[in-house]
Amino acid sequence: MQDVLPESGVIRKLWMGEGAKYRDHMLRLDPESRNSRFAGGVSDEFIGKYVDLSSALDAVVYGFFLDGIMRGAGELRPLGARFPRQAEAAISIEKRWQSHGVGSALLRHILLAARNRSFRLLHMACLAENQRMQQLARKFDAELSFDFGNVVGEVESSRPTALSLMREMMTDSHGFATAMLDLQTRMIRPT
Ligand SMILES: CC(C)(COP(=O)(O)OP(=O)(O)OC[C@H]1O[C@@H](n2cnc3c(N)ncnc32)[C@H](O)[C@@H]1OP(=O)(O)O)[C@@H](O)C(=O)NCCC(=O)NCCS
């Protein structure tokens, strides 16, 4: 899975204890992007609780990082035992880095994670006027069929294979190495 990302950014999975990075990224979204992300206006307090819930629900979150700062996120959040094999998918990119392919790369990671967890239905709360998200989803028509409005996508190939599991493991181990390198760089950087 090789993505060409702006400014040599990296995409990696968020690890336990990194919730603050996700929350800070969401809080930096401009009002229009925040509105599109949550399909309506939400407060800072709501965002804080939303991120706490992501950790509690074992959501898979991928971050797009530049210089150790999270500038984009893709989340796969299971809907729980009452809705087996269903999850909510959502993407957010800070304005400066929108329309540079980051959303496409994050959605590709989310689809692989969904497949490896045998999710069949992905819900996306997407405003009908959110053309960009709809365009982005259409690029993955082969893997996902979308219904816009309150978007519901069906993961076509929802059975994990040895190869799809291996692909996720490989990107995770690369992501872990990147996270460690990033930490080390910040520890030795003069303040
Ligand atoms: C919607 C969003 C996730 C898309 O991510 P992105 O990184 O901007 O999108 P990409 O650069 O990967 O582009 C994906 C497709 O969108 C379309 N697109 C890109 N920029 C566009 C623009 N300015 N206007 C219309 N369509 C556009 C293109 O078809 C593009 O595919 P292509 O590059 O192969 O032609 C991002 O803009 C965002 O975070 N918006 C605010 C939050 C949001 O709306 N989240 C979705 C709700 S879950």
Side-chain angles (χ1 to χ4, degrees), residues 51-121:
V51 169
D52 289 347
L53 196 60
S54 292
S55 316
L57 292 176
D58 274 340
V60 179
V61 180
Y62 286 96
F64 165 65
F65 284 88
L66 275 173
D67 296 326
I69 303 175
M70 188 166 167
R71 299 295 186 182
E75 175 172 348
L76 183 72
R77 179 187 278 221
L79 292 191
R82 288 181 58 209
F83 303 96
R85 302 180 74 187
Q86 295 190 42
E88 185 196 342
I91 304 180
S92 52
I93 322 280
E94 290 175 37
K95 201 163 193 73
R96 157 92 174 70
W97 293 277
Q98 289 178 8
S99 300
H100 287 87
V102 180
S104 307
L106 285 167
L107 188 53
R108 201 170 298 122
H109 280 74
I110 288 175
L111 289 180
L112 179 60
R115 177 181 188 173
N116 285 342
R117 285 155 188 76
S118 301
F119 287 123
R120 278 201 64 77
L121 279 178

Side-chain angles (χ1 to χ4, degrees), residues 29-45:
L29 289 174
D30 63 285
E32 191 191 345
S33 299
R34 187 191 283 203
N35 197 59
S36 302
R37 165 62 179 80
F38 290 99
V42 297
S43 65
D44 290 0
E45 192 191 359

